[in-house]
């Protein structure tokens, strides 16, 4: 039992937690968050509460725990009775994970030069294709390390699509739903379609819903160089937050615009390098100096921004922080584009990948539902 007791007062409901700390919930909030069957559809989680008809100064007549201490029952002045689950109160107070946070049973491993993974996280193609547990293991690799290899893949476009669809339908962008990645591709002018070195970056800074995952399956390789490079952007953020909190704040506040232009396409979006969630936790790293579009700040802010931006670049260009992977047919790489930066060493010869993006909400939905069903 996490809630020991509740006390109704004119200013709200005081909840005493098992650890003896307490928190006061306003009556307005409690009515707005009622989760009984009249207030919320338990199947779809859609709300039926008419938030805007609740008086801001509403005060309940009475409130108390049920016998099992699983619900708070509230009597309102209009004779209405609502309930809210104790679990919901614990979740919003941060005492337990809420329904929409992913399980943290597999803790995240952030890696830089001083803390590289001993072995590269990987899973076999067959394991992913054969079982739901295999898909969950794959997604948890990505959640933990920010990336995963898939070994023993089939080097065909059809098999790549089948592999990707084990997570969810791919995210369609101007590059299509599934796309070839090779210097032979001539219908996009992006630097990705060259043989040049590409500094570590995140993709799609010019989209508001930048890809959550990016996957490449190697179809052909006959040449030299061309290793894929990964850097853990969250580990960089953590290092900057510890060493230079002033620069971390700049990178979490200054919106950096990005753009992409080709015939009949002109995308533009912006967000801070470190985008924080409503709890103040880092949600997304965005860094792509190739695609940054022009912007100006007040002189003092600009100097601080460039200092902070260069500090990020110093970490992301430090090769000791890189994982380099020479992909060959039979291996696919998938990574979290909101966490890991990727790059590529220059190369000569032929290098042909086939890949796709996944929307972040889609892959998190798959992981959330697998965690629920497979842990039953
Ligand atoms: Fe890229």
């Amino acid at each position: 039992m996490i809630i020991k007791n509740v006390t109704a007062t004119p200013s709200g409901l005081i909840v005493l937690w098992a650890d003896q700390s307490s928190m006061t919930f306003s009556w307005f909030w409690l009515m707005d968050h009622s989760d009984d069957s009249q207030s919320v559809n338990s199947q779809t989680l859609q709300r039926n509460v008419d938030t805007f008809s609740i008086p801001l100064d509403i005060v309940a007549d009475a409130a108390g725990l049920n016998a099992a201490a699983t619900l708070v029952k509230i009597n309102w002045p209009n004779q209405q009775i609502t309930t809210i689950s104790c679990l919901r109160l614990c979740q919003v107070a941060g005492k337990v994970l809420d329904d929409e946070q992913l399980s943290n049973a597999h803790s995240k491993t952030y890696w830089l030069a001083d803390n590289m993974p001993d072995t590269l996280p990987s899973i076999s193609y067959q394991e992913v294709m054969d079982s739901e547990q295999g898909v969950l293991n794959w997604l948890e690799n990505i959640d933990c390390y920010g990336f995963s290899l898939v070994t023993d893949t089939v080097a065909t476009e059809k098999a790549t699509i089948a592999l990707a669809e084990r997570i969810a339908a791919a995210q369609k962008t101007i590059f299509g739903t599934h796309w070839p990645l090779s210097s032979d591709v001539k219908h996009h002018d992006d630097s990705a379609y060259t043989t040049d070195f590409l500094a570590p970056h995140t993709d799609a800074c010019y989209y508001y819903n930048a890809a959550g995952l990016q996957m490449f399956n190697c179809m052909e390789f006959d040449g030299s160089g061309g290793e894929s490079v990964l850097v853990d952007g969250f580990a960089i953020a953590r290092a900057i937050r510890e060493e230079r909190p002033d620069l971390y704040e700049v990178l979490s506040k200054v919106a950096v615009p990005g753009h992409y232009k080709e015939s009949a396409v002109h995308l533009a979006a912006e967000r801070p390098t470190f985008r924080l969630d409503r709890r103040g936790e880092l949600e997304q790293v965005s860094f792509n100096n190739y695609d940054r579009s022009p912007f100006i700040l007040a002189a003092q802010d600009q100097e601080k921004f460039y200092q902070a931006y260069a500090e990020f670049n110093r970490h992301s260009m430090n090769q000791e922080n890189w994982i380099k992977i020479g992909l060959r047919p039979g291996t696919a790489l998938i990574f979290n584009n909101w966490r890991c930066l990727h790059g590529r060493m220059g190369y000569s010869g032929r290098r042909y990948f086939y890949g796709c993006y996944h929307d972040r909400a889609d892959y998190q939905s798959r992981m959330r539902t697998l965690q629920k069903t497979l842990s039953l």
Side-chain angles (χ1 to χ4, degrees):
M1 182 177 63
I2 298 176
I3 292 181
K4 286 188 81 170
N5 67 52
V6 296
T7 308
T9 75
S11 58
L13 184 77
I14 301 172
V15 172
L16 179 66
W17 311 106
D19 62 9
Q20 299 299 324
S21 63
S22 64
M23 181 166 167
T24 301
F25 293 86
S26 78
W27 294 116
F28 180 95
W29 185 92
L30 286 161
M31 183 171 246
D32 187 44
H33 285 80
S34 304
D35 57 11
D36 51 80
S37 60
Q38 298 298 308
S39 304
V40 172
N41 181 316
S42 62
Q43 295 300 309
T44 66
L45 306 181
Q46 284 194 292
R47 299 158 45 80
N48 296 321
V49 178
D50 181 5
T51 303
F52 310 103
S53 69
I54 306 170
L56 285 171
D57 57 355
I58 192 168
V59 177
D61 287 341
L65 285 170
N66 65 347
T70 55
L71 291 174
V72 177
K73 185 175 162 187
I74 304 174
N75 297 65
W76 300 98
N78 63 358
Q79 313 306 315
Q80 192 181 353
I81 296 173
T82 63
T83 64
I84 182 165
S85 70
C86 291
L87 179 60
R88 174 74 66 224
L89 296 174
C90 294
Q91 288 174 336
V92 298
K95 300 284 182 189
V96 296
L97 285 183
D98 75 34
D99 291 341
E100 288 167 7
Q101 289 175 286
L102 297 169
S103 162
N104 59 1
H106 299 262
S107 60
K108 290 182 172 49
T109 299
Y110 298 116
W111 45 271
L112 281 181
D114 58 350
N115 183 36
M116 284 293 179
D118 295 333
T119 55
L120 298 185
S122 71
I123 191 161
S124 75
Y125 179 80
Q126 216 52 52
E127 184 177 349
V128 172
M129 299 308 291
D130 283 354
S131 72
E132 295 289 89
Q133 185 64 54
V135 177
L136 180 58
N137 293 345
W138 187 27
L139 290 170
E140 288 186 336
N141 267 352
I142 301 164
D143 194 49
C144 179
Y145 295 98
F147 73 101
S148 179
L149 296 171
V150 183
T151 59
D152 306 311
T153 61
V154 181
T156 65
E157 295 174 359
K158 188 177 169 193
T160 309
I161 294 169
L163 176 65
E165 287 185 346
R166 292 295 287 153
I167 296 177
Q171 180 185 28
K172 188 173 183 186
T173 67
I174 55 141
F175 301 104
T177 305
H178 304 94
W179 25 258
L181 185 58
S182 158
S183 58
D184 297 345
V185 174
K186 301 297 181 200
H187 53 281
H188 295 295
D189 282 336
D190 195 78
S191 49
Y193 301 101
T194 67
T195 60
D196 299 341
F197 166 73
L198 285 181
H201 61 277
T202 58
D203 271 13
C205 291
Y206 40 76
Y207 271 110
Y208 286 106
N209 60 335
L213 299 178
Q214 181 167 181
M215 188 182 97
F216 312 123
N217 191 18
C218 182
M219 303 283 104
E220 292 176 49
F221 187 87
D222 182 12
S224 61
E227 295 90 346
S228 297
V229 170
L230 290 174
V231 194
D232 187 345
F234 270 43
I236 293 175
R238 190 167 65 171
I240 294 175
R241 193 182 62 203
E242 286 169 6
E243 294 159 9
R244 291 296 306 269
D246 56 327
L247 300 186
Y248 182 88
E249 187 175 352
V250 170
L251 293 171
S252 64
K253 294 268 165 60
V254 175
V256 179
H259 59 178
Y260 179 91
K261 194 167 188 302
E262 62 178 35
S263 174
V265 174
H266 192 163
L267 301 169
E270 63 178 48
R271 56 184 159 270
T273 306
F274 300 150
R275 193 165 70 80
L276 309 184
D277 67 14
R278 65 188 151 82
R279 300 178 179 87
E281 300 291 326
L282 182 61
E283 174 83 16
Q284 178 181 19
V285 170
S286 300
F287 185 86
N288 191 323
N289 203 44
Y290 298 108
D291 295 342
R292 182 162 53 85
S293 57
F295 78 117
I296 195 164
L297 298 167
Q300 194 181 340
D301 296 339
Q302 183 163 289
E303 186 179 332
K304 197 80 176 173
F305 168 73
Y306 277 117
Q307 188 187 359
Y309 205 55
E311 181 66 1
F312 187 99
N313 186 66
R314 185 178 70 79
H315 286 287
S316 69
M317 287 297 287
N318 177 357
Q319 295 203 28
E320 292 182 5
N321 293 332
W322 293 3
I323 288 177
K324 280 163 85 170
I325 303 164
L327 287 177
R328 297 292 180 268
T331 305
L333 170 65
I334 189 164
F335 54 89
N336 177 349
N337 185 55
W338 285 29
R339 170 176 165 185
C340 284
L341 287 75
H342 64 285
R344 176 189 68 209
M345 304 309 288
Y347 69 97
S348 60
R350 174 147 172 86
R351 178 182 185 266
Y352 173 37
F353 292 175
Y354 198 66
C356 66
Y357 295 127
H358 285 99
D359 184 274
R360 180 173 171 84
D362 284 336
Y363 93 76
Q364 289 198 331
S365 164
R366 180 76 160 128
M367 192 166 163
R368 199 175 283 125
T369 52
L370 285 172
Q371 283 179 338
K372 291 236 161 68
T373 52
L374 297 179
S375 65
L376 290 176

